Every structure is written in structure tokens, then in C-alpha cells.
Amino acid sequence: MFYLVMKRIFLGPVLRLLFRPWVKGLDNVPAQGAAIIASNHLSFSDSIFMPLMVRRPVVFLAKSEYFTGTGLKGRLTALFFRLTNQLPMDRSGGAASAVSLNAGMDVLTGGGLLGIYPEGTRSPDARLYRGKVGVARLALEAGVPVIPVAMIGTDKVQPIGKRMPNIRRIGMIFGAPLDFSRYADQAEDRLVQRKVTDEIMFELMRLSGQEYVDEYAAVVKLRLAGAAATAAGGASAKRAETDGGAAGTGTDGKDPAAG
């Protein structure tokens, strides 16, 4: 109920007025029956704008950190995500991720629309990164079509790290449903899962026009964070060296103890 009220009466009309979202291919989303909506991921706001334009409710798998925040902001964020039909997705891998995917499977077996970001995390630089095979596992095991959707311009509306959005127009393109029923008896085959995932990512690249990088976005983010930490450490060491040198000299740069 909260989801529909926010979408149709309160939040939805305001967002439509401010951001004037344009949409292509919305008829590719089935009017009924289960399906996966696989999207590129440029911004936190992707999970808000895309379900806003789809006529049916969309249940998203969102990173689990959104549900475990502390303080007032953390609790409000968790409440918002739960009330807007979003499920926590543990991205650590192994059994924890499998449990999260099972929750997504429940949505599909119930005939719903499941939204998922195959990249697993937001793009650090607006490029499209390698997809994780969870989307393929769900599609093959549930026997449902995958609708690729390209979000356009949401990275400009709310870049990573920016709390307040920029008011500008955004768009989205829904591609034709991808049918993987030919692999119905190979759902557990890792090579098939990889092939299916890559096919989904190719469609996202084609629809979005993004440059594709055959590397996981999470790995790139870790590398960038490490490089930033190293640079910050180097800058701190240089400042300390400069400060230490200055502490032992007079204003003219000479040793004050010297004659």
C-alpha cells in the first residue's frame, strides 16, 4: 500500500514534474507474469526512477548495507527500502549471496517483477562493467525472460557521494525481452551462466551506449580506493617531512643553533 501511495500520489508526481523522465520501450515489460528487469547501475536514484515508470510493482534486490545503517538516517533509509518493496542483497558471495538470490526467486515464483543490477554495484565512472552470474541463475532456474533496461543520465542527477540531486532530465530504454529457455536444462552450468550474463550485458551496452569494461566494478572500486589511500598517505608523509624540516630552521632557512 505504501509503495502504491508514494508512487502514484506523493513521490511519483513530484519526481515526474522535476526530472521529466523520458521512456522508450516500456511496452516490453509484460503486463502480467514473472520477469527479471536487468539494469545498468549509475546512481542510487536508479532504484527510484525506474520503478516509477513501470506500471507494475518492481521488487529490487538492493545492497544489504542499505538495511543495516545506524543512527536516524540509517534507520530511515532501511525503512524506506523495506516499504518500497526492496530486498537486501548480500554481495559477499557464497551462502550469504545464495540466500539473497533465493529471496529473489520467491518474487519470480510468485509471478512478480524482480529488478536486479547485474554489475552488483554502481559504476565508478559511468562505464558498464562485467556482470555477475546471479541474474543468469535466477533467469534459468525460474524460466523467466529478462528485460534489459538502460538508465540514461542518472549519474549526472546524483553522482556517487552527492546527497542532494541535481535537477535535470533523465531517461530509460527498455529493450526487448531476452529468452533463455534454450538453456533450461543447463541452469547449473557455470559456462552457460556466464554466456547468458554476457548476453544481457551486451544488450545493456547496446541500449545505453556505455563503454564496456570486462572487469568487475567492485574490483575497480577497491583499486581506486587503494590508490586514493596511497596518495593520501604520500601527501601526509610529505607534509610531515616539510613540517619537520621547518621546525628546525629559522625564518631564513638557517639552523637557529648555528652562529
Side-chain angles (χ1 to χ4, degrees):
M1 178 61 71
F2 176 86
Y3 177 91
L4 293 177
V5 169
M6 290 296 290
K7 178 176 177 177
R8 297 177 181 175
I9 300 176
F10 294 109
L11 186 60
V14 172
L15 292 178
R16 288 173 184 267
L17 177 65
L18 291 176
F19 297 95
R20 297 173 296 121
W22 57 266
V23 185
K24 294 181 180 179
L26 190 58
D27 290 341
N28 286 318
V29 179
Q32 58 184 2
I36 294 173
I37 298 181
S39 174
N40 61 337
H41 199 11
L42 297 172
S43 166
F44 170 86
S45 59
D46 293 331
S47 300
I48 298 174
F49 286 116
M50 194 272 279
L52 174 67
M53 306 310 295
V54 177
R55 300 180 184 94
R56 297 171 57 191
V58 180
V59 179
F60 255 98
L61 288 177
K63 68 178 182 179
S64 58
E65 289 85 347
Y66 288 142
F67 299 83
T68 58
T70 58
L72 179 60
K73 179 184 176 183
R75 289 194 294 271
L76 289 175
T77 299
L79 178 63
F80 175 80
F81 272 75
R82 289 192 178 95
L83 291 176
T84 53
N85 287 1
Q86 304 202 45
L87 301 173
M89 174 68 194
D90 192 310
R91 302 177 297 174
S92 60
S97 294
V99 170
S100 298
L101 290 177
N102 287 340
M105 183 64 70
D106 290 341
V107 173
L108 296 173
T109 54
L113 291 178
L114 179 69
I116 190 169
Y117 300 113
E119 292 169 278
T121 187
R122 286 173 289 178
S123 171
D125 53 15
R127 295 187 294 175
L128 184 69
Y129 284 85
R130 195 173 198 230
K132 297 188 175 184
V133 299
V135 62
R137 286 186 54 193
L138 286 169
L140 295 174
E141 291 180 12
V144 299
V146 176
I147 294 93
V149 56
M151 303 301 297
I152 311 293
T154 52
D155 56 319
K156 303 296 191 303
V157 166
Q158 193 172 21
I160 294 177
K162 184 177 177 62
R163 294 185 178 181
M164 295 301 295
N166 302 312
I167 306 300
R168 57 183 296 160
R169 199 171 192 196
I170 61 98
M172 59 203 78
I173 304 172
F174 291 84
L178 302 175
D179 178 13
F180 299 108
S181 58
R182 61 191 182 279
Y183 300 121
D185 59 345
Q186 303 176 65
E188 298 299 321
D189 190 316
R190 290 285 296 183
L191 293 178
V192 171
Q193 292 174 4
R194 182 75 262 160
K195 180 179 177 63
V196 168
T197 302
D198 288 345
E199 186 172 333
I200 294 170
M201 301 312 295
F202 177 83
E203 283 301 305
L204 289 177
M205 178 185 68
R206 188 181 65 81
L207 292 171
S208 69
Q210 291 171 275
E211 177 186 349
Y212 180 74
V213 181
D214 193 21
E215 189 173 12
Y216 292 117
V219 174
V220 174
K221 283 186 173 182
L222 287 174
R223 187 166 64 244
L224 291 174
T230 300
S236 297
K238 186 173 182 180
R239 284 196 301 270
E241 181 181 345
T242 302
D243 293 344
T249 61
T251 56
D252 59 357
K254 295 180 180 179
D255 187 339

